[in-house]
Amino acid sequence: MTAKRKWLLWIGLAPLVAIAVFAMFIGNRGGHYPIYEASSFANLALHAANPASTGDALVQISTGVLRGTQIGSAVAFRGIPYARPPVGELRWQPPQPPPPWQGVRDAQQPGSACTQRVSGLTPFFAPMAQAYGSTFEQPPINSSEDCLYLDVWVPEWPVKRALPVMVWLHGGSNTVGSGSQSSYQGDFLTQHGVLLVTLNYRLGVMGFFSHPELTAESPHHSSGNYGLLDQLAALNWVKQNIAQFGGDPENVTLFGESAGAVDAGRLMTSPLAAGLFKRVLSESGPAFDAGRTLSQAETFGSAVGLLAPGDAHSTPLEKLRALPAGEVEALVAKVRERTPTDITAAMVDGWVLPLSPREAFLTGSIKKVDLLIGLNAREFSAFRLAAAAAAAKSSGGPSSVAESGQLAKFTQAARPYFASWTYPVIAMHLAKIFLNKNAGIDAAANDLIGACPIGAMASLTQASGQRVFVYRFDRSIPGKGEAELGAFHSLEIPYVFGTFRDREWRWLPSTASDAALSALLQTYWTNFAKTGDPNSSGLPDWPAWSDKAKEFLVVNKDASVSAQRNFPPPFSRLGSDELKQSFKAQ
């Protein structure tokens, strides 16, 4: 063989060798850990508990006496007011203490959800149900500004010993949803020896609206974070009252999904949350953004106020307070058409949030609480389907990444996490999008919007001296919609609450493996709430996060579980020191 032919052969083989080496690198970076099949932890499934007698389910709290009700194997106290209704002059004010009542208050029905769109969660779930060849059943939405209520779920009555408390913050982009959704029913989770509290908090413009007049009337010179203040008021209520239900006020875990997880992460950075919770469990909602300033939020609020109809002698704020909530939301939408703004984004007001979440984590200005945090493998697929369904109903259509100028923004956002590897990583994702458009788009979004900030929060929390556990949920449900959706955003919820048969989730098929996985996740979640460690005897080992190994638990596609190291994405720089240097250099 001539020298020229040898060179041509090497040139032809070089790309194949590079691909093989890259594949070996990717395959081996996760390490080699045992895989535990779903059948190996099927014995964790709890047998149905005997129904608890509720004839004497009475409890005295700071504002009066409540009567609960039996739901499944649990006892629930529902529709408990934790603050005065935020209506009239209390619209856009911090929550005020609830008034006391005389006699026994019936606590057998949930309170109203906070004001939101009539369609609720249908635009999010219906396209996914359709992908699986089914339909989404929309529960009736009873929403109102009079909505600051919570539910308490206990495993028995009376509770015989002080139990850990888990406080749930619902998802819904801080614009829809409620704590009393049937998919958050607590009769399964509480059987693992915890109390569950679910709550409503103000949403959308009612919960996240700033205006110069609001700032001026505030003794803290603040406005806008009313939804977070509601959550803090509920946590203070728990601190004051949960012992009466059998809960331990000194052992509270704040957990949430999507926007609820984001809010839990924001509260980790708030000085107002001191002493209110011991741990945070965050599902698919990193809080690591730069946020907005109060001035920016006020500018948007002023534009909304100028559109408010009413008496010429009234101030813009007076006009806005006189309008029905739906009309205020319409004004916000009108201003958003010319000034696209997410009013629910983190807002640095100097009181609730003195720093942006990113700055707080980078500087160690966070609560000393343990953290369990993770994401699903294809979070973006659900939003992609919802956006496509919305576009199909409108005259426009979704634009491509290049057309909308998102590629430059993606590159800019990726740089602190990937440094010199930024362009190769971008090229890798573009190749994935070219080969498999939808799955490639989902992977790119998962890495940048999900995995990178989650890894950052994990490393920076661990660097502050706290225990951290990280997971990735890859389980995908076999069926018609599996290829299109994979492990979509919110899929872990029916596992955590054991609510696959609930009307909000019955469109999704499930198997005995899913029931076993549900029991395992509930055990992990409640173990963490009890001790700050998800592990216990007989469970697959879940290694704690460290700056060096970056180990995490993977729930695999087939419902088995295993540990891995080197939390994705490849080539990312998620060490605490690396992150501090990268973001400082911005």
Side-chain angles (χ1 to χ4, degrees):
M1 184 180 291
T2 64
K4 182 177 180 180
R5 287 183 176 179
K6 287 181 179 179
W7 275 109
L8 290 173
L9 179 63
W10 277 111
I11 290 171
L13 289 174
L16 297 177
V17 172
I19 292 171
V21 170
F22 179 76
M24 290 175 61
F25 166 74
I26 296 297
N28 290 320
R29 72 186 295 270
H32 300 282
Y33 296 80
I35 296 175
Y36 299 87
E37 302 296 333
S39 59
S40 69
F41 42 80
N43 63 320
L44 293 173
L46 295 171
H47 298 292
N50 292 325
S53 172
T54 59
D56 58 349
L58 300 174
V59 61
Q60 173 78 57
I61 62 173
S62 59
T63 45
V65 180
L66 297 166
R67 175 180 285 113
T69 184
Q70 179 189 320
I71 299 180
S73 59
V75 174
F77 297 85
R78 314 199 72 182
I80 306 171
Y82 68 85
R84 194 176 294 271
V87 298
E89 289 301 309
L90 294 183
R91 179 189 278 184
W92 299 312
Q93 287 290 324
Q96 303 300 308
W101 59 83
Q102 299 297 318
V104 177
R105 181 186 177 105
D106 181 70
Q108 301 187 20
Q109 297 296 326
S112 173
C114 289
T115 304
Q116 58 193 270
R117 68 190 181 208
V118 176
S119 58
L121 293 163
T122 297
F124 180 77
F125 279 111
M128 293 193 291
Q130 186 176 5
Y132 269 94
S134 186
T135 56
F136 172 67
E137 183 180 343
Q138 172 69 69
I141 297 175
N142 174 29
S143 73
S144 166
E145 286 189 73
D146 178 2
C147 64
L148 300 186
Y149 300 95
L150 55 78
D151 300 343
V152 177
W153 297 78
V154 301
E156 59 183 351
W157 192 262
V159 174
K160 297 179 176 63
R161 58 187 174 87
L163 297 177
V165 181
M166 300 183 73
V167 178
W168 174 254
L169 302 180
H170 69 82
S173 302
N174 277 332
T175 60
V176 295
S178 77
S180 58
Q181 288 170 226
S182 55
S183 57
Y184 306 145
Q185 191 161 304
D187 52 336
F188 284 99
L189 196 63
T190 55
Q191 295 308 311
H192 292 266
V194 297
L195 261 66
L196 173 68
V197 178
T198 64
L199 62 107
N200 298 338
Y201 55 93
R202 281 174 282 183
L203 302 168
V205 68
M206 294 297 115
F208 300 91
F209 179 73
S210 295
H211 192 279
E213 288 185 64
L214 288 170
T215 303
E217 69 182 28
S218 165
H220 307 284
H221 306 290
S222 161
S223 65
N225 283 318
Y226 305 110
L228 296 183
L229 286 167
D230 293 343
Q231 295 163 9
L232 288 164
L235 286 164
N236 275 294
W237 183 96
V238 168
K239 189 81 169 178
Q240 183 180 9
N241 292 287
I242 206 65
Q244 303 303 109
F245 297 86
D248 182 354
E250 301 304 320
N251 192 4
V252 175
T253 295
L254 184 62
F255 75 131
E257 182 268 344
S258 191
V262 172
D263 292 346
R266 291 174 183 173
L267 293 184
M268 285 179 69
T269 75
S270 175
L272 304 186
L276 295 181
F277 50 88
K278 200 171 184 178
R279 304 179 182 96
V280 165
L281 199 161
S282 171
E283 304 170 22
S284 303
F288 196 66
D289 56 319
R292 302 178 299 152
T293 65
L294 176 58
S295 176
Q296 290 172 325
E298 287 178 333
T299 298
F300 183 88
S302 294
V304 173
L306 291 175
L307 296 180
D311 188 337
H313 300 291
S314 299
T315 69
L317 180 58
E318 289 170 339
K319 294 177 184 178
L320 288 170
R321 279 192 170 134
L323 290 175
E327 293 185 26
V328 179
E329 195 67 60
L331 295 180
V332 169
K334 190 172 292 186
V335 175
R336 229 190 238 128
E337 289 176 0
R338 62 175 185 266
T339 311
T341 301
D342 178 9
I343 64 171
T344 68
M347 196 271 294
V348 181
D349 65 346
W351 178 43
V352 181
L353 298 180
L355 301 172
S356 73
R358 179 182 296 166
E359 187 176 357
F361 275 94
L362 287 170
T363 58
S365 305
I366 57 176
K367 297 288 159 289
K368 303 302 180 184
V369 296
D370 297 327
L371 177 65
L372 190 156
I373 189 170
L375 76 164
N376 298 352
R378 287 181 66 182
E379 301 275 7
F380 190 67
S381 64
F383 299 101
R384 177 170 46 74
L385 258 66
K393 292 180 180 180
S394 67
S395 57
S399 58
S400 70
V401 171
E403 288 171 344
S404 59
Q406 294 302 308
L407 183 59
K409 294 180 182 178
F410 188 96
T411 303
Q412 183 182 9
R415 197 177 304 281
Y417 297 113
F418 296 99
S420 59
W421 282 97
T422 300
Y423 288 114
V425 167
I426 298 295
M428 179 181 70
H429 280 300
L430 289 175
K432 288 182 180 179
I433 293 171
F434 177 78
L435 294 172
N436 192 342
K437 182 179 178 182
N438 289 340
I441 291 172
D442 296 345
N446 247 55
D447 277 2
L448 185 63
I449 301 171
C452 284
I454 281 172
M457 288 176 66
S459 286
L460 294 165
T461 301
Q462 194 265 339
S464 74
Q466 303 308 118
R467 288 182 294 184
V468 177
F469 296 87
V470 177
Y471 73 88
R472 191 185 70 209
F473 187 92
D474 290 6
R475 171 60 173 160
S476 58
I477 304 295
K480 187 178 177 182
E482 181 179 16
E484 181 68 16
L485 285 164
F488 57 84
H489 186 70
S490 77
L491 177 56
E492 85 290 349
I493 289 176
Y495 293 89
V496 171
F497 286 93
T499 49
F500 268 108
R501 294 183 180 179
D502 178 74
R503 61 182 177 179
E504 291 188 18
W505 286 103
R506 63 175 58 136
W507 56 270
L508 191 67
S510 62
T511 66
S513 293
D514 295 302
L517 179 58
S518 175
L520 177 65
L521 292 190
Q522 288 178 38
T523 304
Y524 277 141
W525 263 227
T526 53
N527 281 351
F528 179 75
K530 293 170 185 176
T531 67
D533 187 338
N535 294 290
S536 62
S537 177
L539 298 186
D541 182 58
W542 185 337
W545 179 276
S546 68
D547 222 24
K548 183 177 181 181
K550 299 179 179 62
E551 291 176 298
F552 61 107
L553 185 82
V554 182
V555 176
N556 296 303
K557 284 187 176 182
D558 62 358
S560 65
V561 300
S562 58
Q564 287 188 19
R565 67 175 182 231
N566 293 320
F567 183 69
F571 312 113
S572 57
R573 292 159 45 90
L574 298 178
S576 56
D577 289 338
E578 293 171 323
L579 290 162
K580 292 173 184 177
Q581 292 170 2
S582 294
F583 281 98
K584 185 178 181 180
Q586 276 194 312

